[in-house]
């Protein structure tokens, strides 16, 4: 039986502000948590977060050895694809990938000429990627091993939403960059078509691994508060997330006609494109520079 401890929390940016219930969640039958966990919205900055949430020490229960991002052969072919415009400078460039998972992005960036370093809180992921000769460390930000280091780029790809204190992690990322250094953050977008359609069955809920739920405004707000200037926020297409949410909703008898329709890969792919065209994409990718 899992011995998971739960804790209530507030907004990390505005501890004095109150919050309202944003979305109640169904609690897995095996866990006992009182009051039941739900998504809450900060009345100060509108950030949405999970509360109660598992304590940091309890989180390992939710990252088993077969957690998909650690399994290279289970990842989609485009995982770790190099974003547009990320060619290294001629004299070479350095980057830190926070939460490298199976290490595909590290591998691709290394092949493209970057000098790469990674951290991940999974011992399994670290052992796996260390075996390929990469400089990687176990842990999260802030990380003692990185003290005093400087990188040209810090990447947090699908990581920020998993952290207990994402603001502290961003502040630490700022210390690892020189003035003008770049930060890239990608997260699921709460302001997406599939959240509107599927609510508690939305792929980005990932209960209880996801602790924060961002839209453009709350993501930019947190990044700016950590000492960055936001340069752009790009929409990111994730047809598979819509497909997964539709399947989950139908399994839970909540999907309705939309759920049944979007179980078709072609239709969920089309829906992802509509999300991009209408300004409600599934994912966001933010590029910022250290002020
Ligand atoms: Zn707030």
């Amino acid at each position: 039986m899992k011995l998971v401890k739960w804790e209530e929390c507030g907004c990390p940016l505005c501890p004095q502000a109150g919050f309202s219930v944003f979305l109640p969640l169904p609690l897995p039958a095996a866990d006992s948590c009182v009051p039941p966990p739900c998504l809450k919205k900060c009345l100060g900055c509108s950030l949405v977060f999970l509360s109660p949430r598992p304590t940091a020490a309890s989180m390992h229960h939710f990252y088993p050895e077969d957690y998909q991002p650690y399994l290279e052969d289970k990842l989609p072919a485009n995982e770790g694809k190099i974003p547009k415009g990320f060619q290294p400078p001629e004299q070479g460039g350095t980057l830190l990938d926070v939460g490298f998972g199976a290490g595909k992005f590290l591998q691709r960036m290394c092949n493209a000429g970057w000098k790469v370093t990674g951290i991940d809180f999974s011992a399994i992921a670290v052992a796996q990627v260390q075996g390929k000769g990469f400089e990687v460390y176990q842990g999260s930000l802030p990380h003692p091993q990185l003290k005093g280091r400087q990188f040209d780029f810090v990447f947090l790809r699908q990581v920020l939403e998993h952290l207990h204190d994402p603001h502290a992690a961003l502040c630490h990322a700022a210390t690892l960059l020189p003035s003008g250094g770049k930060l890239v953050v990608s997260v699921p977008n709460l302001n997406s078509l599939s959240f509107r359609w599927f609510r508690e069955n939305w792929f980005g809920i990932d209960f209880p691994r996801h602790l924060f739920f961002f839209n453009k405004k709350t993501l930019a707000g947190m990044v700016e508060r950590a000492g960055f200037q936001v340069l752009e926020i790009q929409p990111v297409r994730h047809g598979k997330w819509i497909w997964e949410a539709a399947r989950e909703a139908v399994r839970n008898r909540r999907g309705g006609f939309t759920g049944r329709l979007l179980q078709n890969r072609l239709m969920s792919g089309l829906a992802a494109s509509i999300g991009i065209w209408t300004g409600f994409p599934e994912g966001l990718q933010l590029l910022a520079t250290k002020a």
Side-chain angles (χ1 to χ4, degrees), residues 11 13-14 17 42 44-47:
C11 174
L13 295 178
C14 354
C42 172
C45 71
S46 303
L47 181 63

Side-chain angles (χ1 to χ4, degrees), residues 10-279:
C11 174
L13 295 178
C14 354
Q16 306 303 325
F19 44 77
S20 59
V21 171
F22 180 73
L23 180 71
L25 293 175
L27 182 69
D31 286 323
S32 59
C33 171
V34 180
C38 64
L39 303 197
K40 289 175 178 156
K41 185 175 185 173
C42 172
L43 297 177
C45 71
S46 303
L47 181 63
V48 175
F49 52 91
L50 177 69
S51 178
R53 64 187 184 182
T55 60
S58 289
M59 284 313 280
H60 65 97
H61 290 295
F62 303 104
Y63 294 92
E65 279 190 32
D66 59 354
Y67 179 50
Q68 198 188 333
Y70 302 152
L71 304 174
E72 196 170 352
D73 54 351
K74 290 271 175 68
L75 295 174
N78 65 351
E79 153 63 27
K81 209 173 112 189
I82 301 176
K84 267 188 207 156
F86 283 102
Q87 293 314 312
E90 264 184 38
Q91 71 277 22
T94 55
L95 72 85
L96 173 70
D97 187 22
V98 180
F100 55 77
K104 279 182 103 169
F105 183 70
L106 283 179
Q107 183 74 62
R108 285 183 204 248
M109 292 305 254
C110 176
N111 294 348
W114 291 89
K115 187 174 182 310
V116 301
T117 306
I119 58 172
D120 198 294
F121 56 45
S122 158
I124 303 153
V126 169
Q128 206 169 254
V129 174
Q130 219 158 28
K132 294 178 186 166
F134 287 108
E135 184 200 1
V136 289
Y137 303 103
Q138 190 186 353
S140 184
L141 288 180
H143 196 290
Q145 216 82 41
L146 300 175
K147 212 171 162 227
R149 293 278 297 269
Q150 297 268 278
F151 300 90
D152 297 318
F153 272 86
V154 172
F155 284 83
L156 289 112
R157 300 169 309 111
Q158 318 298 348
V159 164
L160 210 58
E161 65 275 20
H162 292 257
L163 304 179
H164 276 66
D165 194 342
H167 180 243
L170 289 169
C171 290
H172 188 73
T175 69
L176 300 173
L177 291 163
S179 181
K182 301 283 194 309
L183 172 79
V184 181
V185 180
S186 50
V187 292
N189 180 20
L190 187 59
N191 197 16
S192 58
L193 288 182
S194 72
F195 177 70
R196 283 163 190 240
W197 291 327
F198 300 122
R199 310 290 291 176
E200 72 275 12
N201 293 304
W202 179 50
F203 187 75
I205 296 281
D206 199 14
F207 176 81
R209 284 186 285 256
H210 286 185
L211 308 177
F212 292 91
F213 307 86
F214 298 94
N215 58 25
K216 268 188 182 180
K217 180 179 161 245
T218 54
L219 178 62
M222 188 180 281
V223 167
E224 280 166 0
R225 285 273 292 269
F228 291 95
Q229 184 195 342
V230 174
L231 299 176
E232 61 179 33
I233 302 181
Q234 296 278 356
V236 185
R237 200 178 174 284
H238 289 287
K240 187 158 182 276
W241 292 2
I242 300 181
W243 178 73
E244 297 265 17
R247 285 177 12 129
E248 183 72 6
V250 169
R251 257 198 303 272
N252 294 326
R253 302 177 188 281
R254 297 298 292 272
F257 174 72
T258 313
R260 291 196 299 278
L261 183 72
L262 296 178
Q263 286 186 102
N264 178 296
R265 287 299 290 265
L266 216 63
M267 297 310 284
S268 51
L270 177 64
S273 297
I274 294 172
I276 301 267
W277 302 330
T278 54

